[in-house]
Amino acid sequence: MTTQTLQTPEADLVYDVHGPLPTNDGRPVLFMIGQPMDASGFSTLVSHFPERTVITYDPRGIGRSARKDGRVDHAPETQAADVHAVIEALGAGPVEMFASSGGAVTSLALVTAYPDDVTTLVAHEPPLIAVLPDARAAERARAGIRDVYQAKGSNAGMAAFIMMTSWQGEFTDAYFAQPAPEPAAFGMPAEDDGSRDDPLLSDRSWAVSGYRPDVDALTAAPTRVVIAVGEESSGTFTARTSVALADLLGQQATVFPSHHGGFAGGEFGYPGQPEAFARKLHEVLGDAG
């Protein structure tokens, strides 16, 4: 692996190259992106693709990629332009792409703006409120996370985030009638560390969950777009957004093993099934492995 930095007027974009460039077998580079997760979250999944050249990167303002634009928001269109710049700098396009969570939203914006950058996109559980029938209620639930975080800090905010993302079905009156969960219910301390800049819990990433995919542009693009959903995610917020988006694109969501972070090992305390997940990704991409 080598680590490189692409310096742009607005950000220093740090990315890791796993394998040779150009590739040994003529296969496209496999680009993996997340949001707000940085490149470190893909370390286990990358290990299951030893025969492929894989690129992982830190989105601007996250991990090692320092912002110089004076902003703190995370807009998918901006992140998409960054990924496009990295692909151009590599001289390795078009690429295949696996993108998860907010990174999947970025990937949809990338295919919309730069349709020739990606041959196959596997977009795993993009959290797109706009595609839901209960979008207004989902926005209210999202605001509730922000409010708890601002009032009580990261542990309380994370507890509220877990409550929202594990809720089954539409956000009904029963959801909003619940008291805010205590961090202790999820094994977290109640202490407030004083920070209020977490991109997941603040409103800094609302542009991600508020993104409206351009279905016509995605359908017209030469990119093969595969919307993926975890088998353990059924009925949850990101499963519902995935199924709804797949329906808009005239397809059924492709079921992958495990949950929203199913490709991860034990690095973050909630391991998925990375080996099985990687097998499914190999299958979808048409790899022999």
Side-chain angles (χ1 to χ4, degrees):
M1 186 193 79
T2 61
T3 298
Q4 302 183 34
T5 301
L6 174 62
Q7 296 184 338
T8 75
E10 294 188 345
D12 293 337
L13 304 172
V14 179
Y15 58 96
D16 301 317
V17 181
H18 308 259
L21 281 175
T23 60
N24 287 332
D25 58 2
R27 286 294 305 272
V29 163
L30 176 55
F31 208 125
M32 297 181 179
I33 61 175
Q35 175 84 11
M37 187 180 72
D38 61 22
S40 65
F42 292 108
S43 58
T44 299
L45 185 59
V46 170
S47 72
H48 291 285
F49 286 81
E51 77 291 351
R52 298 290 302 268
T53 295
V54 180
I55 308 298
T56 55
Y57 101 121
D58 293 357
R60 70 164 65 187
I62 294 174
R64 302 161 296 175
S65 292
R67 300 187 79 145
K68 300 181 287 189
D69 59 357
R71 300 177 67 94
V72 296
D73 59 317
H74 299 279
E77 296 87 352
T78 301
Q79 303 285 8
D82 287 345
V83 175
H84 171 70
V86 172
I87 292 172
E88 282 203 322
L90 288 167
V95 303
E96 294 184 322
M97 181 168 287
F98 171 73
S100 187
S101 194
V105 179
T106 295
S107 72
L108 296 169
L110 175 69
V111 170
T112 298
Y114 309 98
D116 295 325
D117 276 4
V118 185
T119 57
T120 296
L121 165 64
V122 181
H124 181 250
E125 299 201 10
L128 297 166
I129 287 177
V131 303
L132 293 177
D134 57 326
R136 293 188 67 178
E139 289 173 348
R140 180 183 170 192
R142 178 185 64 178
I145 295 171
R146 185 271 318 274
D147 294 346
V148 169
Y149 174 56
Q150 289 295 329
K152 298 183 178 180
S154 59
N155 291 319
M158 182 55 70
F161 176 82
I162 294 171
M163 184 176 79
M164 176 188 173
T165 55
S166 61
W167 179 258
Q168 289 285 312
E170 296 189 7
F171 294 104
T172 60
D173 290 344
Y175 174 83
F176 296 106
Q178 300 175 106
E182 293 297 327
F186 303 102
M188 297 181 292
E191 286 76 18
D192 181 352
D193 65 5
S195 65
R196 295 295 186 272
D197 57 358
D198 189 304
L200 187 67
L201 305 177
S202 68
D203 57 11
R204 295 183 175 193
S205 294
W206 279 16
V208 176
S209 53
Y211 179 76
R212 293 181 177 273
D214 188 331
V215 172
D216 290 340
L218 293 170
T219 303
T223 308
R224 172 187 169 226
V225 178
V226 178
I227 305 302
V229 63
E231 63 182 349
E232 296 176 25
S233 300
S234 179
T236 64
F237 168 61
T238 52
R240 294 196 300 120
T241 59
S242 302
V243 171
L245 176 60
D247 185 61
L248 289 172
L249 294 175
Q251 62 178 267
Q252 287 190 325
T254 299
V255 178
F256 271 65
S258 198
H259 47 66
H260 187 67
F263 52 87
E267 308 97 309
F268 304 105
Y270 187 38
Q273 301 174 37
E275 184 175 355
F277 195 102
R279 282 199 303 269
K280 183 65 176 182
L281 184 54
H282 275 292
E283 174 191 322
V284 171
L285 294 175
D287 291 337

